[in-house]
Amino acid sequence: MGSFLSFWSDLGKHKIWILCILFGLHIIFIDENNILKRIEARKEIIELKKEIEKYNKEYETSTKMLEDLTSNPEFLENIARERYFMKKPDEDIYVFED
């Protein structure tokens, strides 16, 4: 019984530290908004921002291409020749594959 009382009194001396450790463990692992979930969410936010940037650049490129296609007939002819292998009646097309 004496060892139990000495353990309990030692525990009373360090109760602040024990509560701090328990609180820290609760915040890190147990809580619904724990630190591990916050880190994962922050990584996901960074990835989504990169994806948004990529799609914004793609949108700008597509918008510029659409503007060029509608306003510049030479650009339209160039795209038709390069991508769809269209030709004028008196031309021959040679396609080289890598």
Side-chain angles (χ1 to χ4, degrees):
M1 188 70 163
S3 64
F4 179 72
L5 288 176
S6 67
F7 171 74
W8 193 256
S9 66
D10 289 340
L11 191 66
K13 291 177 188 175
H14 303 291
K15 63 184 169 186
I16 297 295
W17 289 108
I18 293 171
L19 285 175
C20 289
I21 291 170
L22 290 175
F23 180 72
L25 290 174
H26 178 74
I27 287 176
I28 293 172
F29 297 110
I30 299 171
D31 191 32
E32 181 179 326
N33 296 320
N34 62 33
I35 292 177
L36 300 175
K37 286 183 184 177
R38 285 181 180 248
I39 291 171
E40 289 176 16
R42 192 167 290 170
K43 286 180 184 177
E44 185 177 352
I45 288 171
I46 290 169
E47 290 175 12
L48 290 173
K49 284 183 180 180
K50 287 179 183 178
E51 193 172 337
I52 287 171
E53 268 185 49
K54 181 183 92 171
Y55 285 124
N56 281 338
K57 287 179 184 177
E58 186 178 320
Y59 172 75
E60 290 172 6
T61 305
S62 298
T63 304
K64 185 179 182 308
M65 183 176 270
L66 178 63
E67 183 180 312
D68 288 341
L69 284 171
T70 55
S71 65
N72 189 355
E74 292 173 3
F75 185 74
L76 179 64
E77 182 180 339
N78 189 18
I79 294 293
R81 287 172 175 264
E82 287 179 3
R83 291 192 184 170
Y84 303 109
F85 305 114
M86 293 184 172
K87 65 181 185 103
K88 293 182 180 177
D90 60 341
E91 292 180 331
D92 293 328
I93 295 180
Y94 299 99
V95 179
F96 298 102
E97 294 183 13
D98 291 338

XYZ file of all heavy atoms in Angstrom:
838
model
N 0.821 -1.196 0.000
C 0.000 0.000 0.000
C 0.862 1.257 0.000
O 0.480 2.269 -0.579
C -0.929 -0.040 1.217
C -1.948 1.045 1.223
S -3.124 0.720 -0.056
C -4.421 1.742 0.426
N 2.015 1.154 0.609
C 2.907 2.306 0.687
C 3.470 2.676 -0.670
O 3.661 3.851 -0.980
N 3.753 1.669 -1.505
C 4.291 1.967 -2.832
C 3.235 2.653 -3.709
O 3.559 3.500 -4.528
C 4.809 0.693 -3.496
O 3.744 -0.199 -3.725
N 1.968 2.256 -3.508
C 0.889 2.881 -4.264
C 0.759 4.355 -3.895
O 0.575 5.209 -4.753
C -0.421 2.137 -4.023
C -1.596 2.745 -4.750
C -1.697 2.629 -6.125
C -2.568 3.465 -4.061
C -2.757 3.188 -6.803
C -3.624 4.033 -4.742
C -3.715 3.887 -6.111
N 0.862 4.664 -2.597
C 0.761 6.056 -2.147
C 1.941 6.879 -2.649
O 1.775 8.040 -3.044
C 0.666 6.115 -0.627
C -0.658 5.634 -0.025
C -0.578 5.667 1.504
C -1.803 6.486 -0.495
N 3.130 6.287 -2.665
C 4.288 7.040 -3.158
C 4.145 7.275 -4.676
O 4.513 8.343 -5.179
C 5.592 6.317 -2.832
O 5.686 5.112 -3.560
N 3.618 6.265 -5.393
C 3.377 6.436 -6.836
C 2.362 7.547 -7.067
O 2.516 8.386 -7.945
C 2.896 5.115 -7.440
C 2.422 5.249 -8.858
C 3.335 5.418 -9.888
C 1.067 5.214 -9.170
C 2.915 5.542 -11.199
C 0.630 5.346 -10.473
C 1.562 5.505 -11.486
N 1.295 7.547 -6.263
C 0.241 8.546 -6.417
C 0.767 9.949 -6.093
O 0.419 10.920 -6.762
C -0.933 8.173 -5.511
C -2.168 8.954 -5.828
C -2.661 10.003 -5.111
C -3.014 8.799 -6.950
N -3.790 10.488 -5.701
C -4.031 9.750 -6.851
C -3.035 7.922 -8.018
C -5.033 9.878 -7.784
C -4.043 8.045 -8.931
C -5.022 9.015 -8.826
N 1.601 10.075 -5.112
C 2.150 11.391 -4.763
C 3.128 11.858 -5.844
O 3.181 13.037 -6.169
C 2.827 11.362 -3.396
O 3.972 10.520 -3.435
N 3.931 10.915 -6.415
C 4.818 11.284 -7.519
C 4.008 11.703 -8.740
O 4.389 12.620 -9.462
C 5.738 10.113 -7.899
C 6.798 9.855 -6.851
O 7.077 10.776 -6.052
O 7.345 8.743 -6.842
N 2.892 11.014 -8.949
C 2.015 11.359 -10.058
C 1.426 12.756 -9.854
O 1.286 13.524 -10.804
C 0.896 10.313 -10.179
C 0.045 10.343 -11.416
C 0.898 9.979 -12.627
C -1.087 9.356 -11.288
N 1.110 13.121 -8.646
C 0.575 14.435 -8.338
C 1.576 15.538 -8.582
O 1.208 16.650 -8.956
N 2.854 15.255 -8.374
C 3.887 16.258 -8.603
C 4.029 16.590 -10.091
O 4.380 17.698 -10.453
C 5.228 15.765 -8.070
C 5.298 15.664 -6.577
C 6.648 15.103 -6.156
C 6.674 14.811 -4.667
N 7.931 14.154 -4.286
N 3.759 15.617 -10.947
C 3.970 15.780 -12.389
C 2.662 15.837 -13.180
O 2.647 15.563 -14.370
C 4.831 14.635 -12.922
C 6.154 14.514 -12.243
N 7.139 15.453 -12.394
C 6.628 13.576 -11.397
C 8.183 15.083 -11.678
N 7.896 13.951 -11.052
N 1.584 16.204 -12.501
C 0.289 16.163 -13.172
C 0.200 17.155 -14.329
O -0.453 16.886 -15.330
C -0.854 16.364 -12.192
C -0.871 17.697 -11.513
C -1.991 17.750 -10.494
C -1.822 18.999 -9.643
N -2.790 19.014 -8.556
N 0.867 18.284 -14.256
C 0.838 19.256 -15.353
C 1.482 18.657 -16.599
O 0.960 18.769 -17.707
C 1.556 20.560 -14.943
C 0.851 21.228 -13.771
C 1.671 21.514 -16.130
C -0.541 21.709 -14.089
N 2.644 18.018 -16.408
C 3.338 17.408 -17.548
C 2.525 16.258 -18.142
O 2.457 16.105 -19.363
C 4.725 16.920 -17.147
C 5.663 18.044 -16.891
C 6.150 18.457 -15.688
C 6.176 18.942 -17.855
N 6.949 19.544 -15.831
C 6.991 19.868 -17.181
C 6.044 19.073 -19.224
C 7.657 20.895 -17.819
C 6.719 20.091 -19.868
C 7.509 20.992 -19.173
N 1.906 15.492 -17.294
C 1.082 14.373 -17.775
C -0.103 14.904 -18.571
O -0.422 14.391 -19.653
C 0.627 13.493 -16.596
C 1.836 12.787 -15.982
C -0.420 12.483 -17.044
C 1.553 12.076 -14.692
N -0.744 15.961 -18.071
C -1.869 16.550 -18.796
C -1.417 17.144 -20.127
O -2.118 17.019 -21.145
C -2.544 17.621 -17.947
C -3.417 17.108 -16.800
C -3.918 18.275 -15.970
C -4.571 16.306 -17.339
N -0.256 17.783 -20.167
C 0.269 18.336 -21.422
C 0.535 17.234 -22.435
O 0.214 17.372 -23.623
C 1.539 19.131 -21.161
S 1.259 20.688 -20.310
N 1.120 16.144 -21.979
C 1.401 15.019 -22.880
C 0.105 14.412 -23.395
O -0.034 14.143 -24.599
C 2.273 13.965 -22.165
C 3.687 14.518 -21.938
C 2.325 12.659 -22.948
C 4.546 13.675 -21.041
N -0.866 14.202 -22.500
C -2.156 13.657 -22.934
C -2.858 14.595 -23.911
O -3.442 14.148 -24.904
C -3.046 13.368 -21.723
C -2.613 12.201 -20.850
C -3.511 12.104 -19.621
C -2.632 10.908 -21.640
N -2.800 15.890 -23.642
C -3.407 16.869 -24.542
C -2.721 16.844 -25.908
O -3.369 16.882 -26.953
C -3.325 18.271 -23.915
C -3.924 19.330 -24.779
C -5.298 19.410 -24.950
C -3.116 20.250 -25.431
C -5.855 20.393 -25.750
C -3.656 21.232 -26.231
C -5.033 21.307 -26.385
N -1.396 16.787 -25.914
C -0.656 16.717 -27.170
C -0.997 15.466 -27.959
O -1.199 15.521 -29.180
N -1.073 14.336 -27.299
C -1.446 13.091 -27.985
C -2.856 13.177 -28.547
O -3.127 12.693 -29.651
C -1.316 11.900 -27.029
C 0.112 11.510 -26.638
C 0.085 10.419 -25.573
C 0.895 11.060 -27.847
N -3.739 13.803 -27.783
C -5.113 13.959 -28.260
C -5.157 14.824 -29.518
O -5.849 14.488 -30.491
C -5.965 14.587 -27.151
C -7.373 14.841 -27.560
N -8.290 13.827 -27.700
C -8.019 15.983 -27.887
C -9.440 14.343 -28.088
N -9.303 15.657 -28.211
N -4.407 15.921 -29.509
C -4.402 16.818 -30.667
C -3.769 16.139 -31.882
O -4.244 16.283 -33.003
C -3.670 18.126 -30.330
C -4.528 18.961 -29.413
C -3.341 18.913 -31.583
C -3.867 20.230 -28.951
N -2.697 15.397 -31.682
C -1.968 14.813 -32.804
C -2.701 13.616 -33.402
O -2.784 13.470 -34.617
C -0.544 14.411 -32.365
C 0.261 15.671 -32.049
C 0.163 13.609 -33.446
C 1.610 15.403 -31.436
N -3.261 12.747 -32.569
C -3.779 11.474 -33.080
C -5.292 11.288 -32.957
O -5.909 10.678 -33.831
C -3.104 10.307 -32.351
C -1.626 10.249 -32.583
C -0.745 10.551 -31.576
C -1.125 9.898 -33.821
C 0.616 10.502 -31.781
C 0.239 9.845 -34.047
C 1.110 10.146 -33.024
N -5.918 11.764 -31.913
C -7.288 11.362 -31.599
C -8.339 12.336 -32.126
O -9.388 11.927 -32.622
C -7.446 11.184 -30.071
C -6.491 10.099 -29.590
C -8.873 10.836 -29.710
C -6.394 9.990 -28.089
N -8.071 13.609 -32.045
C -9.049 14.632 -32.393
C -9.530 14.500 -33.842
O -8.825 14.004 -34.702
C -8.424 16.014 -32.187
C -9.434 17.128 -32.260
O -10.593 16.903 -31.873
O -9.068 18.222 -32.703
N -10.764 14.935 -34.108
C -11.329 14.868 -35.462
C -10.525 15.711 -36.445
O -10.337 15.330 -37.595
C -12.775 15.363 -35.423
C -13.459 15.303 -36.759
C -14.893 15.782 -36.688
O -15.551 15.553 -35.661
O -15.334 16.394 -37.661
N -10.043 16.845 -36.020
C -9.218 17.725 -36.851
C -7.763 17.626 -36.416
O -7.097 18.624 -36.193
C -9.696 19.169 -36.738
C -11.085 19.336 -37.275
O -11.417 18.747 -38.287
N -11.894 20.110 -36.585
N -7.249 16.407 -36.356
C -5.887 16.235 -35.857
C -4.857 16.743 -36.858
O -5.157 17.058 -38.002
C -5.628 14.782 -35.472
C -5.736 13.829 -36.637
O -5.415 14.174 -37.762
N -6.184 12.625 -36.360
N -3.644 16.826 -36.395
C -2.563 17.403 -37.200
C -2.298 16.558 -38.439
O -2.015 17.097 -39.512
C -1.298 17.562 -36.331
C -1.548 18.640 -35.289
C -0.084 17.896 -37.173
C -0.438 18.857 -34.317
N -2.386 15.266 -38.335
C -2.127 14.397 -39.479
C -3.132 14.653 -40.605
O -2.760 14.736 -41.779
C -2.161 12.929 -39.054
C -1.136 12.528 -37.981
C -1.355 11.092 -37.553
C 0.271 12.743 -38.470
N -4.392 14.820 -40.256
C -5.408 15.118 -41.270
C -5.194 16.507 -41.868
O -5.413 16.716 -43.058
C -6.811 15.028 -40.669
C -7.268 13.610 -40.420
C -8.677 13.583 -39.898
C -9.101 12.166 -39.564
N -10.452 12.133 -38.990
N -4.757 17.454 -41.049
C -4.493 18.806 -41.555
C -3.340 18.806 -42.551
O -3.388 19.503 -43.559
C -4.180 19.758 -40.405
C -5.402 20.149 -39.620
C -5.018 21.105 -38.517
N -6.181 21.469 -37.760
C -6.699 22.689 -37.756
N -6.148 23.633 -38.473
N -7.762 22.951 -37.032
N -2.306 18.012 -42.275
C -1.167 17.925 -43.188
C -1.611 17.322 -44.516
O -1.257 17.815 -45.586
C -0.025 17.113 -42.549
C 0.588 17.892 -41.391
C 1.047 16.763 -43.576
C 1.564 17.107 -40.550
N -2.401 16.252 -44.458
C -2.917 15.642 -45.688
C -3.789 16.623 -46.464
O -3.694 16.709 -47.696
C -3.718 14.382 -45.350
C -2.881 13.227 -44.867
C -3.723 12.032 -44.438
O -4.926 11.987 -44.791
O -3.189 11.159 -43.758
N -4.636 17.364 -45.769
C -5.511 18.332 -46.435
C -4.694 19.446 -47.079
O -4.992 19.884 -48.198
C -6.506 18.917 -45.435
N -3.636 19.882 -46.413
C -2.785 20.933 -46.976
C -2.088 20.450 -48.237
O -1.993 21.176 -49.231
C -1.770 21.380 -45.937
C -1.055 22.649 -46.332
C -0.314 23.245 -45.197
N -1.283 23.779 -44.221
C -0.970 24.199 -43.023
N 0.270 24.161 -42.627
N -1.894 24.654 -42.211
N -1.621 19.191 -48.244
C -1.001 18.620 -49.439
C -2.007 18.549 -50.586
O -1.678 18.847 -51.730
C -0.457 17.215 -49.151
C 0.796 17.198 -48.328
C 1.261 15.780 -48.091
C 2.465 15.716 -47.189
N 2.875 14.339 -46.902
N -3.231 18.156 -50.270
C -4.269 18.069 -51.298
C -4.590 19.456 -51.865
O -4.785 19.611 -53.076
C -5.531 17.431 -50.719
C -6.603 17.183 -51.738
C -7.824 16.488 -51.156
O -7.788 16.061 -49.985
O -8.816 16.388 -51.894
N -4.621 20.463 -51.006
C -4.873 21.829 -51.467
C -3.781 22.282 -52.419
O -4.047 22.892 -53.470
C -5.004 22.784 -50.267
C -6.320 22.534 -49.548
C -4.901 24.243 -50.696
C -6.457 23.267 -48.232
N -2.528 21.981 -52.095
C -1.413 22.359 -52.962
C -1.537 21.674 -54.317
O -1.350 22.299 -55.370
C -0.064 22.026 -52.277
C 0.163 22.968 -51.093
C 1.095 22.127 -53.266
C 1.317 22.574 -50.199
N -1.871 20.370 -54.320
C -2.038 19.641 -55.584
C -3.185 20.221 -56.405
O -3.069 20.364 -57.627
C -2.282 18.165 -55.307
C -1.070 17.430 -54.784
C -1.377 15.988 -54.413
O -2.475 15.492 -54.766
O -0.524 15.367 -53.769
N -4.282 20.572 -55.752
C -5.429 21.135 -56.460
C -5.112 22.513 -57.035
O -5.556 22.843 -58.142
C -6.641 21.203 -55.542
C -7.266 19.855 -55.177
C -8.353 20.035 -54.121
C -7.809 19.161 -56.393
N -4.321 23.313 -56.314
C -3.921 24.618 -56.853
C -3.049 24.450 -58.091
O -3.187 25.201 -59.056
C -3.183 25.428 -55.791
C -4.105 26.014 -54.749
C -3.353 26.870 -53.753
C -4.318 27.445 -52.731
N -3.630 28.287 -51.742
N -2.158 23.451 -58.072
C -1.333 23.177 -59.253
C -2.207 22.743 -60.420
O -1.983 23.146 -61.565
C -0.301 22.088 -58.948
C 0.822 22.546 -58.068
C 1.796 21.416 -57.786
C 2.886 21.848 -56.838
N 3.802 20.736 -56.516
N -3.205 21.928 -60.140
C -4.121 21.475 -61.193
C -4.917 22.655 -61.760
O -5.129 22.736 -62.975
C -5.059 20.409 -60.632
C -5.820 19.659 -61.663
C -6.588 18.482 -61.078
O -6.224 17.978 -60.012
O -7.581 18.090 -61.719
N -5.343 23.565 -60.899
C -6.064 24.759 -61.356
C -5.180 25.592 -62.270
O -5.623 26.069 -63.316
C -6.555 25.592 -60.151
C -7.720 24.889 -59.468
C -6.966 26.997 -60.573
C -8.134 25.512 -58.158
N -3.901 25.758 -61.881
C -2.966 26.501 -62.733
C -2.826 25.841 -64.099
O -2.823 26.516 -65.135
C -1.589 26.556 -62.070
C -1.365 27.755 -61.202
C 0.060 27.786 -60.688
O 0.998 27.619 -61.488
O 0.214 27.974 -59.480
N -2.700 24.518 -64.091
C -2.547 23.781 -65.352
C -3.756 24.003 -66.251
O -3.614 24.286 -67.443
C -2.370 22.290 -65.058
C -2.175 21.440 -66.300
C -2.086 19.975 -65.950
C -3.471 19.403 -66.041
N -3.555 17.965 -65.943
N -4.953 23.909 -65.686
C -6.157 24.084 -66.499
C -6.339 25.529 -66.951
O -6.852 25.775 -68.043
C -7.393 23.584 -65.753
C -7.479 22.084 -65.712
C -7.580 21.402 -64.507
C -7.435 21.336 -66.878
C -7.648 20.026 -64.474
C -7.497 19.964 -66.854
C -7.613 19.308 -65.646
O -7.665 17.943 -65.619
N -5.907 26.489 -66.140
C -5.970 27.892 -66.570
C -5.040 28.141 -67.755
O -5.418 28.840 -68.706
C -5.618 28.826 -65.419
C -6.772 29.021 -64.456
O -7.921 28.821 -64.804
N -6.446 29.401 -63.240
N -3.838 27.567 -67.709
C -2.917 27.708 -68.834
C -3.485 27.032 -70.076
O -3.398 27.578 -71.185
C -1.557 27.102 -68.491
C -0.762 27.919 -67.519
C 0.553 27.255 -67.192
C 1.319 28.042 -66.142
N 2.568 27.367 -65.754
N -4.071 25.861 -69.900
C -4.681 25.150 -71.030
C -5.833 25.969 -71.606
O -6.001 26.043 -72.828
C -5.178 23.783 -70.569
C -5.697 22.912 -71.663
C -6.119 21.551 -71.132
O -5.418 21.001 -70.275
O -7.169 21.066 -71.590
N -6.618 26.590 -70.745
C -7.738 27.428 -71.188
C -7.227 28.619 -71.997
O -7.785 28.952 -73.046
C -8.537 27.903 -69.973
C -9.582 28.925 -70.306
C -10.766 28.561 -70.948
C -9.390 30.268 -70.001
C -11.727 29.505 -71.264
C -10.335 31.218 -70.313
C -11.502 30.827 -70.940
O -12.442 31.772 -71.251
N -6.168 29.275 -71.490
C -5.611 30.414 -72.211
C -5.083 30.001 -73.580
O -5.306 30.698 -74.579
C -4.490 31.058 -71.383
C -4.980 31.776 -70.153
C -3.836 32.228 -69.257
O -2.658 32.086 -69.642
O -4.129 32.724 -68.159
N -4.399 28.868 -73.645
C -3.879 28.379 -74.916
C -5.018 28.063 -75.880
O -4.966 28.433 -77.058
C -3.026 27.107 -74.682
O -2.015 27.403 -73.729
C -2.389 26.630 -75.966
N -6.036 27.407 -75.392
C -7.175 27.059 -76.239
C -7.914 28.307 -76.717
O -8.346 28.372 -77.872
C -8.142 26.151 -75.483
O -7.519 24.945 -75.141
N -8.061 29.276 -75.840
C -8.732 30.518 -76.220
C -7.951 31.247 -77.301
O -8.528 31.740 -78.276
C -8.898 31.427 -74.985
O -9.594 30.714 -73.979
C -9.654 32.690 -75.331
N -6.621 31.309 -77.146
C -5.788 31.964 -78.149
C -5.873 31.219 -79.484
O -5.991 31.835 -80.547
C -4.338 32.028 -77.682
C -3.444 32.793 -78.627
C -2.029 32.846 -78.085
C -1.106 33.640 -78.970
N -1.102 33.252 -80.357
N -5.853 29.877 -79.425
C -5.940 29.089 -80.653
C -7.295 29.302 -81.326
O -7.377 29.438 -82.553
C -5.718 27.610 -80.368
C -5.726 26.752 -81.616
S -5.358 25.052 -81.254
C -3.597 25.094 -81.436
N -8.365 29.340 -80.556
C -9.695 29.568 -81.119
C -9.769 30.942 -81.774
O -10.318 31.086 -82.870
C -10.763 29.446 -80.034
C -12.196 29.697 -80.463
C -12.633 28.661 -81.502
C -13.118 29.682 -79.268
N -9.199 31.921 -81.112
C -9.186 33.271 -81.686
C -8.407 33.293 -83.003
O -8.848 33.891 -83.987
C -8.555 34.237 -80.683
C -8.544 35.677 -81.126
C -7.899 36.558 -80.077
O -8.253 36.425 -78.886
O -7.038 37.374 -80.467
N -7.263 32.609 -83.027
C -6.473 32.554 -84.257
C -7.205 31.790 -85.355
O -7.152 32.165 -86.529
C -5.113 31.903 -83.991
C -4.184 32.802 -83.198
O -4.441 34.020 -83.164
O -3.214 32.288 -82.611
N -7.894 30.717 -84.984
C -8.624 29.931 -85.986
C -9.764 30.722 -86.611
O -10.050 30.579 -87.798
C -9.164 28.644 -85.368
C -8.161 27.523 -85.130
C -8.800 26.405 -84.323
C -7.628 26.985 -86.437
N -10.422 31.534 -85.808
C -11.561 32.283 -86.338
C -11.149 33.541 -87.082
O -11.886 34.019 -87.942
C -12.532 32.669 -85.207
O -11.818 33.390 -84.205
C -13.177 31.441 -84.610
N -9.965 34.084 -86.778
C -9.590 35.350 -87.390
C -8.511 35.234 -88.458
O -8.380 36.131 -89.285
C -9.118 36.324 -86.303
O -7.937 35.831 -85.709
N -7.744 34.154 -88.466
C -6.604 34.056 -89.365
C -6.753 32.831 -90.271
O -6.547 31.700 -89.835
C -5.320 33.958 -88.537
C -4.079 34.065 -89.365
O -4.135 34.117 -90.581
N -2.945 34.089 -88.682
N -7.094 33.003 -91.551
C -7.274 31.857 -92.442
C -5.970 31.099 -92.718
O -5.990 29.892 -92.937
C -7.839 32.459 -93.723
C -7.726 33.918 -93.591
C -7.441 34.250 -92.179
N -4.831 31.789 -92.658
C -3.556 31.103 -92.856
C -3.274 30.132 -91.712
O -2.772 29.031 -91.921
C -2.424 32.124 -92.970
C -2.494 32.957 -94.236
C -1.455 34.060 -94.233
O -0.655 34.130 -93.271
O -1.451 34.844 -95.188
N -3.609 30.532 -90.500
C -3.432 29.655 -89.345
C -4.347 28.438 -89.462
O -3.938 27.314 -89.158
C -3.709 30.425 -88.043
C -3.445 29.635 -86.802
C -2.146 29.380 -86.395
C -4.485 29.141 -86.037
C -1.894 28.657 -85.245
C -4.248 28.411 -84.893
C -2.943 28.167 -84.491
N -5.574 28.663 -89.906
C -6.523 27.565 -90.099
C -5.989 26.578 -91.135
O -6.039 25.357 -90.935
C -7.884 28.119 -90.529
C -8.986 27.101 -90.785
C -9.321 26.358 -89.515
C -10.214 27.801 -91.324
N -5.440 27.087 -92.227
C -4.874 26.221 -93.250
C -3.660 25.464 -92.712
O -3.501 24.267 -92.974
C -4.456 27.067 -94.457
C -3.897 26.249 -95.601
C -3.489 27.113 -96.785
O -3.985 28.251 -96.903
O -2.664 26.634 -97.573
N -2.855 26.126 -91.923
C -1.678 25.487 -91.335
C -2.079 24.335 -90.407
O -1.498 23.244 -90.460
C -0.865 26.538 -90.565
C 0.460 26.012 -90.111
O 0.952 25.008 -90.616
N 1.052 26.701 -89.150
N -3.065 24.550 -89.564
C -3.552 23.495 -88.661
C -4.134 22.335 -89.463
O -3.884 21.158 -89.165
C -4.612 24.059 -87.681
C -3.977 25.068 -86.740
C -5.292 22.955 -86.895
C -2.977 24.495 -85.768
N -4.918 22.641 -90.490
C -5.511 21.579 -91.311
C -4.425 20.744 -91.980
O -4.524 19.521 -92.064
C -6.439 22.186 -92.354
N -3.371 21.372 -92.446
C -2.290 20.639 -93.106
C -1.502 19.794 -92.112
O -1.185 18.639 -92.389
C -1.341 21.617 -93.810
C -1.927 22.224 -95.052
C -0.985 23.316 -95.551
N -1.453 23.846 -96.795
C -1.011 23.444 -97.979
N -0.109 22.522 -98.065
N -1.489 23.991 -99.077
N -1.177 20.350 -90.949
C -0.332 19.638 -89.997
C -1.063 18.514 -89.274
O -0.537 17.421 -89.141
C 0.229 20.620 -88.960
C 1.301 21.517 -89.497
C 1.805 22.487 -88.438
O 1.354 22.415 -87.279
O 2.651 23.326 -88.787
N -2.244 18.780 -88.807
C -2.933 17.797 -87.967
C -3.780 16.801 -88.758
O -3.910 15.651 -88.353
C -3.824 18.514 -86.948
C -3.025 19.255 -85.915
C -3.878 19.693 -84.783
N -3.096 20.490 -83.840
C -3.622 21.165 -82.855
N -4.920 21.163 -82.682
N -2.862 21.858 -82.051
N -4.386 17.266 -89.825
C -5.332 16.413 -90.537
C -4.846 16.000 -91.922
O -5.593 15.405 -92.691
C -6.695 17.127 -90.634
C -7.227 17.486 -89.265
C -7.281 18.807 -88.830
C -7.637 16.497 -88.383
C -7.740 19.135 -87.576
C -8.096 16.817 -87.119
C -8.148 18.129 -86.724
O -8.593 18.448 -85.476
N -3.592 16.317 -92.231
C -2.930 15.912 -93.471
C -3.740 16.310 -94.719
O -3.807 15.570 -95.687
C -2.650 14.405 -93.482
C -1.874 13.954 -92.286
C -2.439 13.103 -91.352
C -0.574 14.391 -92.082
C -1.722 12.683 -90.248
C 0.151 13.974 -90.975
C -0.422 13.120 -90.051
N -4.366 17.461 -94.661
C -5.088 17.968 -95.831
C -4.088 18.606 -96.788
O -3.024 19.060 -96.397
C -6.149 18.976 -95.406
C -7.257 18.365 -94.602
S -8.513 19.581 -94.245
C -9.750 18.550 -93.526
N -4.441 18.620 -98.051
C -3.510 19.132 -99.055
C -4.273 19.837 -100.157
O -5.482 19.680 -100.317
C -2.689 17.990 -99.631
C -3.520 16.967 -100.405
C -2.637 15.866 -100.930
C -3.450 14.935 -101.784
N -3.243 15.147 -103.198
N -3.523 20.574 -100.923
C -4.080 21.178 -102.118
C -4.070 20.120 -103.213
O -3.323 19.137 -103.137
C -3.242 22.397 -102.521
C -3.350 23.538 -101.519
C -2.547 24.722 -101.971
C -2.677 25.855 -100.962
N -1.858 27.002 -101.330
N -4.894 20.277 -104.239
C -4.985 19.225 -105.266
C -3.667 18.908 -105.972
O -3.446 17.779 -106.389
C -6.001 19.785 -106.252
C -6.778 20.789 -105.497
C -5.879 21.332 -104.443
N -2.776 19.849 -106.093
C -1.542 19.598 -106.832
C -0.352 19.249 -105.923
O 0.779 19.270 -106.365
C -1.201 20.815 -107.696
C -0.995 22.054 -106.857
O -1.453 22.068 -105.694
O -0.368 23.006 -107.346
N -0.601 18.892 -104.642
C 0.477 18.599 -103.706
C 0.497 17.122 -103.336
O -0.515 16.437 -103.411
C 0.304 19.402 -102.395
C 0.501 20.871 -102.548
C 0.328 21.590 -101.234
O -0.434 21.096 -100.365
O 0.939 22.645 -101.079
N 1.651 16.638 -102.913
C 1.813 15.306 -102.343
C 2.221 15.450 -100.899
O 2.980 16.353 -100.529
C 2.880 14.508 -103.101
C 2.472 14.176 -104.519
O 1.261 13.995 -104.736
O 3.368 14.116 -105.388
N 1.729 14.543 -100.053
C 2.069 14.587 -98.643
C 2.880 13.364 -98.295
O 2.537 12.231 -98.639
C 0.795 14.621 -97.759
C 0.034 15.913 -98.000
C 1.148 14.487 -96.301
C -1.221 16.036 -97.179
N 3.969 13.588 -97.567
C 4.798 12.517 -97.052
C 4.797 12.595 -95.534
O 5.092 13.644 -94.959
C 6.234 12.648 -97.575
C 6.325 12.560 -99.082
C 6.411 13.709 -99.864
C 6.275 11.326 -99.711
C 6.488 13.630 -101.231
C 6.340 11.237 -101.100
C 6.460 12.392 -101.841
O 6.523 12.305 -103.202
N 4.445 11.486 -94.892
C 4.378 11.455 -93.429
C 5.531 10.613 -92.933
O 5.684 9.446 -93.312
C 3.030 10.850 -92.948
C 3.006 10.799 -91.443
C 1.864 11.667 -93.479
N 6.363 11.197 -92.088
C 7.509 10.505 -91.512
C 7.191 10.192 -90.053
O 6.831 11.067 -89.280
C 8.761 11.367 -91.586
C 9.183 11.701 -92.985
C 8.920 12.952 -93.528
C 9.822 10.756 -93.756
C 9.304 13.250 -94.820
C 10.209 11.050 -95.056
C 9.955 12.292 -95.582
N 7.338 8.948 -89.672
C 7.111 8.550 -88.279
C 8.436 8.335 -87.605
O 9.382 7.857 -88.201
C 6.279 7.274 -88.234
C 4.863 7.463 -88.753
C 4.033 6.186 -88.635
O 4.486 5.265 -87.928
O 2.990 6.148 -89.230
N 8.487 8.659 -86.343
C 9.728 8.473 -85.570
C 9.885 7.022 -85.166
O 9.005 6.339 -84.802
C 9.709 9.346 -84.299
C 9.814 10.807 -84.659
O 10.296 11.105 -85.754
O 9.408 11.646 -83.820
